[in-house]
Structure formats: structure tokens, C-alpha cells
Amino acid sequence: MAEANKENAENPLDIDGCNFNSEMYLECLMKLATLKQVMDKEAEIVKQSQFLQSEMQTLVYENYNKFISATETVRKMRTDFQIMQEEMNKLSNNINKITTFSSQISESLKESGTNVNRLCSTRQLLDKLQFLFLLPSQLNKAIIENRYADAVHDYAHAQRVLQKYGNQPSFQSIQSECSEIIYGLKKTLRDRLLNSETSASELAESVGLLRQLQETDSSLKDIFLSCAESRLDQHLKSLNAMLEHTDILEWVEKCNNTLLADLGIVISCYHEMFQDQEANNLPEFAEKVMSQVFHLFEEVVKRPENIGTEILIRGLDKFFRKLQAMSEIISSDVVSQKALDVVIQCINHKAVMQYQLIQSQFKDSLMRVRQTLASKGTETVDLKDILNSLQVYLMQKIQASLLDLMAFLQNNLSFGLKPWCAKAVANSCWTVISETLINLSDMVKKMACLKTSNNIPFELLLILAKLCLELQENGVSTLHNHLIKLLEEAAPGLTIENKDKNSVMVNLSTAAQSALDSEVVFIGQTAAQMLRVSVLARDWLRAPEPRGPRAVCRRVVETLASADSAASQLFPTSVKPSSDSSRRTIWSRAPSSFSPINRIFSERIEVFSPAGADRGALSNGALKVALKALVECVRLRTFSRHGLQQLQVDVHFLQQRLSCMGNDERLLNALLEDALASAQLRCVDPQLMEPSIVDIICERG
């Protein structure tokens, strides 16, 4: 850029340059430009020259005006300086006259000044003598008026004179009288130290005065700390008595203004008075007092009236601010760490209260659900709606608890922006989530174990099992993501550790499996008990000719149908319906198919295998328990021909009714076939009826 400007300046054709050549420029313009361009260029140059002349004329006028103004200003300043010079001359003359008069006055008063100085010295000496002669009365007056500091100050002020001239007869009586007064003052100060009503500031004042009176530091330190401990013990007792009838705000206010304030005064005065001494026992003394304060605060936090988050946080904030100030005074790492632990313990305590409250409220909700199920039949109750209500209620309660704990991270709190506080809140929030869900799992497991003894509706077990499965699949992840979002909003930049979600999911899965197994066993055993009583209590050798299925078969079908209906509302159906070919009656086969050899090679049925989380698995599980009991009871009885035929009718009725419920028909046919085959083997005259006749009897029945 600089080189380009330099080239333009040296160019003879640059009209603005210093090396401009008019003849060369005109010659070049004539050669290269047309007539119109030459005329336009001429008009442009004329216009520019006129403008420059106008500007130059304006500048000349302005400079001329400025020059005239400057001339007038200089003329005016010259006049002002002349006036000022005259005044300065007058002032100089006056100063010379004053100096002369002052010298004359000093000469005339020189002798009088010497006399005045001598008189002042005499007056000072007389004041000192008067102070010494009045010292005993002044000390007594100050002691009577409890102005101990003034008394010690006066005595220390006169001590040097008394030590220097105390051997003279005129001062011996004063010194002895002052010594007796100071001895009494020392005794008064010691009694004051031993008085339990003495405040911390008075203790510090007494020790400081005794040190000024040449008392030994070793004894004073022990007396000072002993008296301070006695005084602080009274505060501790007073604070302990307040636990039962005050809230945390009032208690903290009292503690800060009395015990902690006095402790701060004691420690500050100790350092100030014994600063040259080693404070070996001071940290131990302070930590002992603070440990008792922390214990009382923990008891205050546990009081029921302090359960509210707002009042707890306000009290904790005031207490923590005071502890921070105390930790700087005490200079103890133990107290500093304990102050952090107090905040963390309050957060953990609040978390414990939260998930215990959620557990209690959820139990109340379950009790209402249980009453609803007991008062209404399964057909009139929407189990899916109950499940959704319980799940939404539980999730909302947990999320509300997490939001409540986020109040510990408010910006206006003394500990709200601390990383350790944010980490404690994160851990406590996860504790609320995990403990709530684990407690739910334990409660479901306990209900599953006590199903038969506590008369718990089987529908409730199905609802709880489905609830645990829903929480395992979606609830845990949803709550974990919600927690991370809340922490990012309340404490930006906080590094959150990954939480162990697997253990919570395993607990929920185990609880769901326990509830499902308990429901299956209960329904199966209920139906099995009906079949067992009906088989064992009947005389099958004297059974009449069958006229229809027995009533117990209808009750068994109703029991299994009720459970299947409840399961169908909550769990999907995974069993495919069998083909029509599989619905052939099992007794249409040849009797040889029921032989023991065929049973050996038949598929083994696990009766008490874990129940699956679908409708078919639940129905099949209860079916296996009930029909297996029927098979075993049949094997214990002996049948006549009519008894065998009655069992044939019952089996056919069960096959017709149970195959419509989504059961595995192969499993159903296998168990019913086993029951009929066992009865045929135990029959004295094994003759089965024709299938068409059995159909007619069942339809008529």
C-alpha cells in the first residue's frame, strides 16, 4: 500500500501529486480523450478549483478572527497582571511588617515564656503527685463501680513511679495500700472467673486484667478454659431443653446467638491473650463443644415439626453460615469437615423421609385398591385403569420428591453452589428412586409369600406384578433421565456418576416373578382343592349312571375363568389357538393309547415351573396345578363302570369349557387324558361311552 502511494506521488500525470507536469498531462489528455471528454474534464477542474478557493478563503477568515481574539486576550492579560503585581507588592510589605512585630513580641516575652514553662513542669509534677496520693481512693472507687479495667489501667500507670520511689517514706504507705487493694482485685477477678453466670466477654476481660497484673499464663489458661466450658455447658443444657417445643429456626437462632457466639469470643480472646503461647488444648476443647452441638442439631432435624423442606433448608443455611465463620476462628479441620457432614446428613435424612412417606402413601393406595377389588367383582373393575393410576401416582410422588430435594441447590444458599452438595443431592435423589422401588419389590414379595394367609385378592397380585414389570422396562430409565435433567438445570456442569440401575431392575423383576408364581399357585390350588375333595369324598364303585357333569366342574371352570379374565386385562396373549384337528375328544382313541408304555415316552409336564408374564402362561400354570391334582387323586380311587363314565363326562366338560380360555390345548388334553387313563386303569369294568353320547349328556347338563 505504501509502495503504491509512493508511485502515485512520483507520477507526473497525477494531478494531486507533487511531481505533476501540466504540459505532459495536457498532451496526454489531448491524445487519448475525445472533445467531449476534454470539455467535461475542463468543467470538472474549474469546479474543483472554485471549491478549493472558497475553502481557502474560509480558512483565512477563520484564522484572522482567531488572531484578533488572541490579540485581545493578550492585551487583557497584560492589564490584569499589572493589577496583580501591585497587590503582591502590598502583600510583601505587610508580611515584612508582621515579621518585624513578631520578633519584637518574642524578645519582650522571652523571659515570661521561660517562667511559664517552669510553672507547667511544676504543675505536671504536682498532678502526678496528686494522682499518686489519690490512687488508693481512685482504685477503691473503680472497684466498687465494677470498673475493673480502669482500676488496672491506673495502677499500671503509677506502677513505675511506685517501683522507683517506693522506698521513700512518703510513698511507702501509698504502695502498701495499693498492693492490698490490687490483691483484693485479683481475688475478685478470680471469683468472677469461677462464677457460672459470667459471660464469655467478662471471662475474657477478667483473664486479660489478671495477665496485666502479672498473673502466670499457665494457670490462667486452665482457669479460663475451665470457666468457659462451664459457661458453654449451661448453653448446651438450655439448647437441649428447647428440643421438645421449638422448631429448627428458633433453635438455630438461639444456638448462633448464645453458644456459638460465646465460643467464638472465648477462642478469639484466647488467641489474643495467649498469642505467644502454644494452644495445645484449645482445638480439643473446641472440638468437644462442637461435637455436642452437632449431636443436638441432628436431634433437632429429626423432630416431626422440622420435616418441611423450606424450614429445614432455612435453618440449615443459618447454621452452616455460622459454622463456616466458626471454622475460621477455631482453625480445625475436624470442625470444617463436620460442617460439611451436617449438610450431607440433612440431605440424606430428607431423602429417607421422602421415600418412607412415599412408601406409606403407596400402601394406603394399595389398601384402597384392595377394598375396591373386595367390594366389586373382577368383571366390573377395570384392572388396567387401576394399574395406570398406581403407576402414575407412584411416578408423580417420586418426581415430586426429587424436585423437593433440588431445593438444597438454590443459588442463595451458602452451600447451594458447592460441588460436594450437588453430589450429595444427586446421591440422595437416586436413593429415593432406588429405595422406593426396592421397597416396592420387597412389599410385593412379602404379599406374594403371605397370599394364602392374608386373603389378598389375586387380582392385586396381578396388578403389582404388571406394575413391577412396567417399572423395570420403562420406569427406572424414565426416573433416571428425569433426575439427570433436574441436576443439569440446578447445577450446570456437574459430572454425574452412572447409577446402578441393574440392581433395581433385578429386584423389580424378581418381585414380579414372585407375584405371578403366587397367583398361579393360589388359583391352581383353589381349583385343585375343589377337585381333590370331590374325588376323594365320592364312592366311585357305587356311582349311578351319569346324567351330566358334576357341580364341582362348573365351580372349577368359574375359578379358572375368573383368573383368566383378570390376566387378559393386564397381560398379552401369546398362545396360538390350536387347529380343529387337535380338538378331537381324547376318549375316541383306542384304550391301548392310555397304556403305561405310552406314558413313558410322553412329554414331561413341569407343574410348578416359573410363570410367564402373559395370559396363556398364567392360565396354563393354574391349569397344570389343578389338573395334576385331579390325576393324582384319581390314581388313589377305584372306579366302577358308571364311575368311569361319570369321570368321562366331567373330563369332556372341562375340555369344552377350558379350551375356550386361551389355554394350551395340548397341555389340557394331555392332563385330562392322563386323568381318564388313570381312572380306566383303576376301573373294574373299563367301558367308555360313545363320544356322541357324552356330547349329548354334557349339552343336556
Side-chain angles (χ1 to χ4, degrees):
M1 188 71 181
E3 293 178 357
N5 293 334
K6 184 177 180 182
E7 291 178 357
N8 293 332
E10 295 177 355
N11 186 6
L13 299 180
D14 184 11
I15 196 171
D16 294 326
C18 58
N19 296 325
F20 175 69
N21 190 328
S22 60
E23 296 180 357
M24 290 180 63
Y25 180 80
L26 182 61
E27 182 180 356
C28 181
L29 184 63
M30 291 296 185
K31 289 180 180 180
L32 299 178
T34 63
L35 178 61
K36 186 177 185 302
Q37 291 176 344
V38 171
M39 295 177 69
D40 292 341
K41 191 67 176 179
E42 179 187 8
E44 180 184 355
I45 293 174
V46 170
K47 184 178 180 181
Q48 290 180 356
S49 62
Q50 290 176 353
F51 177 76
L52 291 175
Q53 289 177 0
S54 175
E55 288 288 328
M56 183 174 62
Q57 187 176 5
T58 302
L59 292 174
V60 169
Y61 288 157
E62 289 179 354
N63 291 333
Y64 181 73
N65 291 332
K66 291 179 182 179
F67 178 75
I68 293 174
S69 299
T71 303
E72 292 178 354
T73 303
V74 169
R75 186 181 300 109
K76 185 177 180 181
M77 289 177 61
R78 182 179 301 171
T79 303
D80 293 340
F81 282 146
Q82 291 177 356
I83 297 173
M84 190 179 298
Q85 184 66 34
E86 294 176 358
E87 292 179 353
M88 290 297 295
N89 292 334
K90 292 179 181 180
L91 179 62
S92 177
N93 295 331
N94 293 334
I95 291 175
N96 292 332
K97 291 179 181 179
I98 292 172
T99 303
T100 304
F101 291 151
S102 176
S103 300
Q104 294 175 358
I105 292 171
S106 298
E107 289 294 331
S108 61
L109 296 178
K110 183 176 182 180
E111 183 177 357
S112 300
T114 304
N115 296 331
V116 170
N117 291 333
R118 184 172 62 254
L119 292 175
C120 289
S121 300
T122 306
R123 175 60 184 271
Q124 291 177 356
L125 180 60
L126 291 176
D127 289 341
K128 292 180 180 179
L129 292 176
Q130 184 180 11
F131 175 77
L132 290 177
F133 286 116
L134 297 177
L135 181 61
S137 60
Q138 292 291 342
L139 293 178
N140 286 325
K141 182 179 180 181
I143 293 173
I144 292 173
E145 296 177 355
N146 294 329
R147 293 186 290 106
Y148 304 127
D150 293 341
V152 173
H153 178 268
D154 292 344
Y155 178 73
H157 183 67
Q159 185 68 12
R160 289 177 297 175
V161 178
L162 292 175
Q163 289 178 352
K164 185 175 181 180
Y165 302 104
N167 54 354
Q168 296 182 7
S170 57
F171 294 105
Q172 286 181 352
S173 60
I174 296 175
Q175 186 176 18
S176 61
E177 189 175 357
C178 289
S179 299
E180 293 178 359
I181 295 173
I182 294 301
Y183 179 79
L185 177 59
K186 290 181 179 180
K187 186 175 183 303
T188 302
L189 293 175
R190 288 183 177 275
D191 293 340
R192 189 185 187 189
L193 288 175
L194 299 176
N195 187 2
S196 59
E197 300 297 329
T198 305
S199 64
S201 58
E202 292 175 344
L203 287 176
E205 181 188 22
S206 300
V207 172
L209 295 177
L210 288 173
R211 291 188 74 237
Q212 294 181 33
L213 296 176
Q214 308 301 320
E215 288 292 312
T216 58
D217 287 347
S218 59
S219 62
L220 286 179
K221 286 193 294 185
D222 295 338
I223 294 174
F224 178 69
L225 292 180
S226 176
C227 296
E229 184 176 6
S230 175
R231 173 65 178 172
L232 295 176
D233 283 341
Q234 289 188 351
H235 290 316
L236 288 171
K237 292 178 181 178
S238 175
L239 292 173
N240 190 24
M242 293 175 60
L243 291 178
E244 300 296 331
H245 57 274
T246 56
D247 58 25
I248 188 172
L249 284 176
E250 185 178 351
W251 189 91
V252 169
E253 194 72 25
K254 180 72 173 178
C255 180
N256 291 347
N257 294 336
T258 57
L259 190 144
L260 295 181
D262 283 358
L263 179 60
I265 294 174
V266 168
I267 295 173
S268 300
C269 294
Y270 188 95
H271 286 301
E272 182 179 354
M273 292 183 297
F274 307 110
Q275 55 185 352
D276 297 333
Q277 307 292 330
E278 294 184 359
N280 295 326
N281 52 351
L282 183 59
E284 181 181 355
F285 164 78
E287 291 171 7
K288 178 182 177 182
V289 175
M290 291 303 299
S291 64
Q292 299 179 62
V293 175
F294 290 137
H295 175 71
L296 289 177
F297 184 77
E298 292 173 2
E299 295 296 325
V300 172
V301 171
K302 295 177 182 179
R303 296 290 302 168
E305 57 268 19
N306 298 323
I307 192 175
T309 304
E310 184 64 26
I311 188 174
L312 176 62
I313 290 178
R314 288 172 58 194
L316 180 62
D317 182 50
K318 288 185 177 181
F319 190 62
F320 184 75
R321 290 180 188 274
K322 189 67 176 181
L323 290 180
Q324 283 185 314
M326 291 299 301
S327 62
E328 296 178 359
I329 297 174
I330 298 175
S331 301
S332 172
D333 295 336
V334 176
V335 176
S336 301
Q337 184 60 40
K338 189 62 179 177
L340 306 185
D341 294 341
V342 165
V343 178
I344 296 175
Q345 288 175 3
C346 286
I347 297 174
N348 294 336
H349 173 71
K350 185 62 181 178
V352 172
M353 298 298 295
Q354 290 284 10
Y355 71 71
Q356 287 180 351
L357 180 61
I358 294 174
Q359 183 180 7
S360 175
Q361 293 175 343
F362 188 73
K363 284 183 178 180
D364 295 338
S365 299
L366 286 184
M367 183 61 65
R368 291 191 293 270
V369 172
R370 184 173 176 179
Q371 293 172 355
T372 301
L373 294 174
S375 61
K376 300 179 181 180
T378 307
E379 301 294 337
T380 60
V381 177
D382 189 350
L383 301 184
K384 187 69 174 178
D385 184 55
I386 294 177
L387 170 65
N388 293 335
S389 299
L390 286 177
Q391 185 175 358
V392 170
Y393 178 80
L394 184 61
M395 294 288 285
Q396 288 179 347
K397 286 295 182 182
I398 295 176
Q399 291 176 356
S401 298
L402 300 183
L403 186 61
D404 201 23
L405 288 173
M406 291 299 148
F408 286 92
L409 299 181
Q410 298 178 35
N411 296 337
N412 58 343
L413 299 178
S414 55
F415 49 80
L417 299 178
K418 306 295 183 182
W420 53 267
C421 181
K423 184 177 180 181
V425 170
N427 293 334
S428 297
C429 289
W430 180 248
T431 300
V432 171
I433 297 174
S434 60
E435 289 298 326
T436 300
L437 298 182
I438 291 175
N439 286 336
L440 171 63
S441 304
D442 294 340
M443 181 176 60
V444 173
K445 294 176 185 177
K446 185 177 180 181
M447 293 177 68
C449 295
L450 301 177
K451 170 68 186 74
T452 55
S453 60
N454 278 19
N455 194 25
I456 299 173
F458 69 89
E459 298 92 345
L460 183 58
L461 285 180
L462 291 176
I463 292 173
L464 292 176
K466 185 63 174 177
L467 176 62
C468 291
L469 292 175
E470 292 288 342
L471 291 174
Q472 177 199 0
E473 295 175 1
N474 302 316
V476 177
S477 299
T478 301
L479 291 173
H480 184 262
N481 294 336
H482 182 69
L483 171 59
I484 293 177
K485 181 179 179 181
L486 290 177
L487 290 174
E488 288 177 351
E489 294 175 354
L494 174 66
T495 303
I496 304 172
E497 300 178 358
N498 292 327
K499 304 301 181 181
D500 184 15
K501 298 185 290 185
N502 293 330
S503 61
V504 180
M505 293 181 178
V506 169
N507 275 277
L508 290 171
S509 176
T510 306
Q513 188 63 54
S514 300
L516 293 176
D517 292 342
S518 177
E519 189 271 343
V520 166
V521 171
F522 173 75
I523 297 299
Q525 288 181 348
T526 301
Q529 180 65 16
M530 298 179 190
L531 295 172
R532 184 183 300 111
V533 172
S534 67
V535 172
L536 297 180
R538 186 181 180 89
D539 187 0
W540 294 97
L541 290 174
R542 298 179 182 179
E545 184 178 356
R547 293 290 183 269
R550 293 178 299 150
V552 68
C553 296
R554 295 187 178 88
R555 294 197 301 272
V556 169
V557 170
E558 291 174 357
T559 300
L560 296 177
S562 176
D564 181 69
S565 174
S568 65
Q569 297 185 50
L570 299 173
F571 297 94
T573 302
S574 61
V575 177
K576 298 180 180 179
S578 302
S579 61
D580 293 338
S581 60
S582 65
R583 298 186 181 181
R584 294 175 298 176
T585 55
I586 59 177
W587 43 87
S588 62
R589 305 173 189 173
S592 60
S593 63
F594 303 141
S595 63
I597 297 299
N598 289 340
R599 294 183 185 178
I600 295 176
F601 295 100
S602 62
E603 184 179 356
R604 182 180 179 184
I605 299 174
E606 292 290 341
V607 179
F608 293 100
S609 59
D614 61 79
R615 174 189 176 187
L618 295 173
S619 298
N620 292 332
L623 185 68
K624 288 187 291 184
V625 176
L627 296 185
K628 188 63 177 178
L630 174 63
V631 172
E632 297 300 327
C633 292
V634 166
R635 290 174 180 173
L636 298 177
R637 307 295 291 169
T638 303
F639 295 85
S640 64
R641 183 179 63 182
H642 289 163
L644 176 62
Q645 292 173 354
Q646 178 64 56
L647 186 63
Q648 183 184 4
V649 173
D650 294 343
V651 167
H652 181 66
F653 177 80
L654 291 175
Q655 184 198 30
Q656 287 181 330
R657 299 297 186 270
L658 296 179
S659 61
C660 301
M661 299 180 187
N663 295 308
D664 187 354
E665 292 194 15
R666 293 185 179 182
L667 174 65
L668 174 64
N669 291 340
L671 291 170
L672 293 176
E673 176 184 320
D674 197 7
L676 188 57
S678 299
Q680 194 171 6
L681 293 175
R682 299 284 298 173
C683 184
V684 295
D685 185 13
Q687 293 184 14
L688 295 174
M689 292 187 294
E690 291 297 327
S692 59
I693 299 175
V694 175
D695 288 335
I696 294 172
I697 294 175
C698 289
E699 291 176 1
R700 185 176 60 188

